[in-house]
Amino acid sequence: IFVPKEKIVRAGNWIKQKYLQQTQKIEHQGFSVDWTQTFDFGGGVEIPSRIRIDAEVLQEFCEEKFREDEKLHADWHLSVMLSSAMENNGWMEQNYWVSPLGRLFGRGISSLQYCPKELLRRILPKTCSVLDVNTAALVILYQEHQRLVSSQASSFPHLEEFIAEKTRIRRDIADSLGVEIDQVKKAFTAIGFGIKRTTSPYPVRNVFGGGIQYEESTLVKNFGSRQTAEQFLENEFVKEYWNEYSRLGAELTQAVRKQNPAWMEELKRTLEIPEHKILPKKTILFYLFQQAEAGILKSICRQVGADLVLPKHDAAVLLKRYEPQEVFRIEQGILEDTGFLVKLSSEPV
């Protein structure tokens, strides 16, 4: 979602004057999921296209964030979201589209798919939970490698250890660096998205004012300092994990190109890549991952039925928390539907 800064500022000032300073309280609205309007995700899977939240709770959250951090308030587009909720009596349109690589994206300023967890916890009922696929990208690509790469010589002990012990590993690294576990989690996620092993700033073109400006690397932004980012890069487990992830991706890409499935040419046409050029490695890996991710998400949505509130990419927000036996049943359903053996976590929002 891109909203020009000028519009955010104008909307913020307007909301502040018209709503945040008013003495009359907004009438409470009850939470509701509207199944009369749905988005067709394919394969007979429908997703609700309207969710009703309590606009007063959203207003209170906006007031808090505006007082605490005006920049964060603008970055999260809270003013525009609040305006939409108030104008529609709490109803938030949930519009979706499926990318050429297969991933389901929410779009529009009222989409709750990208809401920060802090906000979701406030506007959703306390009974809601998130059913999340553990280490989705790594598990999917690891199993695709097992399926497509004929060589049995490859081994990935650190990837396998991470799949089995991700919580402990993240905690150990976080403790050694003196940072939050969530920061380490984001760093490992970024590795899966192909970030560079660097802490140096990189040049970007200023699309508004012209010229070149420099931005900090992903790792430095995540950890808040170059020193901590470098310590993360120097961690022995991180080094071996990153090497194995890179090797797995290279071997998997080579196997796909050798087999040359029909989807490669179709994807090139969709992405308007010239016929004489090859698909980039990152595009192939993203396609494999996001196609599988979409299949897993469809399976989850189909199985939870009317308990679905909204889908994420590799997770779903549900009206209630599922018991372990119910989670296991869904894992088995995913295996039957997609062929992928995944582990799910059911946690409060």
Side-chain angles (χ1 to χ4, degrees), residues 108-126:
I109 207 68
S110 62
S111 174
L112 300 180
Q113 192 183 59
Y114 301 105
C115 269
K117 289 182 180 180
E118 183 182 356
L119 175 54
L120 282 180
R121 291 189 190 104
R122 294 280 291 272
I123 63 177
L124 296 182
K126 295 186 184 302

Side-chain angles (χ1 to χ4, degrees), residues 123-142:
I123 63 177
L124 296 182
K126 295 186 184 302
T127 56
C128 286
S129 70
V130 178
L131 196 60
D132 189 17
V133 182
N134 294 340
T135 57
L138 174 56
V139 167
I140 288 170
L141 294 180
Y142 178 81

Side-chain angles (χ1 to χ4, degrees), residues 74-260:
D75 288 345
W76 285 359
H77 313 314
L78 292 177
S79 297
V80 186
M81 183 180 290
L82 176 60
S83 175
S84 175
M86 295 174 74
E87 289 175 0
N88 294 285
N89 200 26
W91 285 106
M92 308 289 283
E93 295 290 336
Q94 303 302 300
N95 299 310
Y96 299 96
W97 70 286
V98 178
S99 78
L101 299 182
R103 172 170 276 186
L104 180 72
F105 287 94
R107 62 181 177 184
I109 207 68
S110 62
S111 174
L112 300 180
Q113 192 183 59
Y114 301 105
C115 269
K117 289 182 180 180
E118 183 182 356
L119 175 54
L120 282 180
R121 291 189 190 104
R122 294 280 291 272
I123 63 177
L124 296 182
K126 295 186 184 302
T127 56
C128 286
S129 70
V130 178
L131 196 60
D132 189 17
V133 182
N134 294 340
T135 57
L138 174 56
V139 167
I140 288 170
L141 294 180
Y142 178 81
Q143 292 184 31
E144 286 281 28
H145 184 280
Q146 290 181 313
R147 183 172 65 88
L148 296 174
V149 179
S150 58
S151 173
Q152 301 299 315
S154 296
S155 64
F156 306 98
H158 291 80
L159 300 187
E160 292 165 358
E161 183 182 356
F162 189 83
I163 291 172
E165 299 283 346
K166 64 180 177 65
T167 302
R168 175 188 60 80
I169 292 168
R170 289 169 179 165
R171 184 177 60 250
D172 289 348
I173 294 176
D175 290 344
S176 70
L177 299 179
V179 299
E180 299 294 328
I181 292 179
D182 192 55
Q183 291 174 282
V184 176
K185 178 181 178 181
K186 289 178 180 178
F188 275 106
T189 300
I191 292 173
F193 282 108
I195 63 166
K196 294 182 179 179
R197 303 190 209 196
T198 181
T199 60
S200 300
Y202 60 94
V204 293
R205 184 174 296 279
N206 189 324
V207 296
F208 296 110
I212 299 294
Q213 60 188 43
Y214 284 82
E215 289 192 7
E216 294 288 1
S217 69
T218 301
L219 288 177
V220 173
K221 287 180 182 177
N222 178 59
F223 288 114
S225 79
R226 186 164 301 163
Q227 180 181 3
T228 307
E230 289 172 351
Q231 290 174 344
F232 176 79
L233 288 174
E234 292 166 2
N235 180 277
E236 287 302 319
F237 182 89
V238 172
K239 286 181 182 178
E240 294 301 326
Y241 176 95
W242 209 322
N243 289 337
E244 290 178 14
Y245 210 124
S246 298
R247 180 160 53 84
L248 180 144
E251 292 178 4
L252 186 52
T253 303
Q254 184 179 27
V256 170
R257 285 179 175 151
K258 185 176 181 180
Q259 296 175 20
N260 194 29

Side-chain angles (χ1 to χ4, degrees), residues 314-339:
D314 55 4
V317 178
L318 310 179
L319 286 172
K320 66 176 186 178
R321 186 168 181 179
Y322 277 35
E323 297 297 326
Q325 63 270 22
E326 296 177 293
V327 174
F328 178 76
R329 172 183 58 79
I330 294 173
E331 291 171 348
Q332 294 304 301
I334 292 171
L335 180 60
E336 293 174 8
D337 290 344
T338 69

